[in-house]
Amino acid sequence: MFLSLLLCFMLFFEFVLDVHTIFTIITTPAKKQTHSSRILFLAAETGNTKFVVELIRRYPDLIWKVNDDKLSIFHIAVKHRHEGIYNLLYEIGSMKDLITPLKDEKQNNMLHFVGKQAKRKRLEDVSGVALQMQRELLWFKEVEGMIPSSYKERKNEDGLTPEELFTKEHKQLVTEGEKWMKDTASQCMVVAALIATIVFAAAFTVPGGYNQDNGVPIFRSKATFMVFVVADAISLFASSASILMFLSILTSRYAQRDFLESLPKKLMLGLATLFLSIVTMTVAFSVSFFVLYHKGQIWMPILIGAIAVMPVLLYVVLQFGLFFDVIRSTYISRYLFKPKKQVLYYKNPKF
């Protein structure tokens, strides 16, 4: 009985000592920090993830350190949008529940720092103002799920919740994103409308013309003619769909949350259908020469078909960057957080 009481007392004493140690580390002023901790915060600010990882491996207690503003390295990472350092939160287990609630002297919690717009240099890593706004929303959504739910509505000294601060700080970015999205959609819609007009007219002026007796196309039995008809129809439908997509972008309400998925997906589908309409229009144009010159002058449709590839290649060269950026920002960026590979602690450490 006595031994059991003694064991319980020792465990309780050890628990109190651990809590006191953690509290002391967290509340230690930056002036008393070691040289390694000052380097740690500098590395966190610049986004040097590898250096931060190596430093924490050597000095594990540094993970609890705070700077002059009472911010941890994870708050610094959120403030400067360094996802590599932020993702270390997923590797420290329940310890993150003691770090994420930390606030600075102005009562700003971690979500408030997402509410403040990132520096222009970090935003420029993402092409397109609308996609920059999308990245900011991804950060807000991620940190919102990381901090305690009660902190989502906490106000800072200015009386602003994180969401209110986010709306205030990103008002200009939303305006610029709306202008960028509308300009892009307007220019692409002009091209789509032009393609729709051309292929619609081509559907009624088929190669070889019509039989005057029954009104049936003369070359309807040829395989190349059927390819022409199908390609022309696909081009018409694709360009029409592209017009509708870009029109929906122009008439969108442009709410803040629309930049997260709705607008980028519409732009992506619009660009994809526009590309499909260009390709099929080119195919229809090239095949029409095979229908007309299938005998004797086969070199002519082959040459024209080869030259007709140029518009498709130009579109790929000029617009593929934008299309890929939209896909990367909408889908691949979701994997910025919650990495599958651990970098801070090894599952099977080697000694």
Side-chain angles (χ1 to χ4, degrees):
M1 182 68 178
F2 176 75
L3 292 176
S4 299
L5 291 174
L6 181 61
L7 180 61
C8 291
F9 177 77
M10 291 177 64
L11 291 174
F12 178 75
F13 179 77
E14 184 179 355
F15 171 76
V16 173
L17 184 62
D18 289 341
V19 172
H20 179 266
T21 302
I22 293 173
F23 180 78
T24 303
I25 293 173
I26 292 178
T27 56
T28 299
K31 295 179 181 179
K32 297 182 180 179
Q33 290 178 359
T34 61
H35 179 66
S36 56
S37 66
R38 292 196 296 271
I39 295 176
L40 178 71
F41 284 106
L42 181 61
E45 186 174 341
T46 56
N48 194 336
T49 305
K50 291 184 178 180
F51 186 79
V52 170
V53 169
E54 290 299 326
L55 204 57
I56 293 177
R57 283 177 182 170
R58 291 178 178 271
Y59 309 100
D61 287 346
L62 290 178
I63 205 168
W64 299 104
K65 289 292 184 179
V66 295
N67 61 6
D68 288 328
D69 297 323
K70 299 181 180 179
L71 300 178
S72 69
I73 58 171
F74 303 105
H75 290 72
I76 300 298
V78 169
K79 182 178 180 180
H80 295 278
R81 305 297 194 268
H82 296 307
E83 61 274 2
I85 298 174
Y86 169 83
N87 285 332
L88 298 179
L89 278 172
Y90 287 101
E91 300 187 37
I92 62 176
S94 59
M95 289 190 293
K96 69 177 184 292
D97 297 331
L98 297 174
I99 296 177
T100 53
L102 294 178
K103 296 180 290 185
D104 67 1
E105 296 178 349
K106 295 183 179 180
Q107 299 301 306
N108 290 307
N109 59 43
M110 185 177 282
L111 196 56
H112 279 101
F113 288 106
V114 186
K116 296 179 180 180
Q117 183 175 318
K119 292 184 178 180
R120 180 62 62 177
K121 185 177 180 180
R122 288 296 297 169
L123 289 176
E124 289 175 353
D125 291 341
V126 182
S127 63
V129 186
L131 302 182
Q132 293 172 3
M133 183 63 193
Q134 183 191 42
R135 180 62 62 86
E136 290 289 275
L137 286 167
L138 284 172
W139 266 100
F140 190 87
K141 185 178 180 181
E142 164 61 26
V143 177
E144 189 178 31
M146 177 64 71
I147 66 171
S149 57
S150 60
Y151 279 67
K152 298 176 184 178
E153 299 298 327
R154 294 281 181 91
K155 295 183 178 181
N156 57 13
E157 283 189 355
D158 297 326
L160 297 174
T161 63
E163 188 171 1
E164 291 171 345
L165 181 61
F166 186 91
T167 302
K168 178 182 177 182
E169 289 282 330
H170 292 80
K171 188 177 296 184
Q172 181 64 28
L173 194 62
V174 170
T175 303
E176 294 176 1
E178 179 181 351
K179 183 179 182 300
W180 180 86
M181 190 69 78
K182 284 185 175 180
D183 290 344
T184 304
S186 298
Q187 295 168 7
C188 292
M189 191 167 69
V190 170
V191 178
L194 182 61
I195 293 174
T197 303
I198 294 172
V199 295
F200 181 82
F204 299 98
T205 55
V206 296
Y210 298 91
N211 190 316
Q212 298 297 324
D213 297 330
N214 52 22
V216 176
I218 296 175
F219 296 112
R220 72 182 188 281
S221 60
K222 294 186 176 296
T224 51
F225 181 81
M226 296 305 297
V227 173
F228 166 81
V229 172
V230 172
D232 189 78
I234 293 175
S235 182
L236 177 61
F237 299 147
S239 59
S240 299
S242 181
I243 292 173
L244 292 175
M245 284 296 170
F246 292 127
L247 184 61
S248 67
I249 291 176
L250 293 175
T251 57
S252 178
R253 59 178 183 168
Y254 286 94
Q256 186 173 271
R257 293 286 179 178
D258 290 342
F259 287 91
L260 185 59
E261 288 190 2
S262 177
L263 290 172
K265 284 183 177 179
K266 289 178 181 178
L267 180 60
M268 181 176 60
L269 290 174
L271 291 173
T273 50
L274 178 60
F275 176 71
L276 178 61
S277 66
I278 292 175
V279 171
T280 49
M281 179 189 67
T282 304
V283 171
F285 175 79
S286 303
V287 170
S288 65
F289 284 89
F290 281 94
V291 175
L292 296 174
Y293 301 99
H294 61 284
K295 292 182 180 179
Q297 296 177 320
I298 192 65
W299 62 270
M300 183 180 294
I302 294 176
L303 177 62
I304 293 175
I307 297 174
V309 177
M310 291 181 60
V312 178
L313 295 178
L314 282 175
Y315 181 88
V316 171
V317 172
L318 298 176
Q319 296 296 329
F320 180 76
L322 174 61
F323 183 69
F324 179 75
D325 287 339
V326 176
I327 294 178
R328 180 178 60 182
S329 184
T330 305
Y331 294 104
I332 302 178
S333 293
R334 296 178 180 179
Y335 301 99
L336 285 175
F337 310 105
K338 300 180 183 179
K340 295 181 179 180
K341 183 180 179 181
Q342 293 187 353
V343 295
L344 187 58
Y345 302 117
Y346 297 114
K347 290 184 177 180
N348 298 311
K350 297 180 180 180
F351 297 96

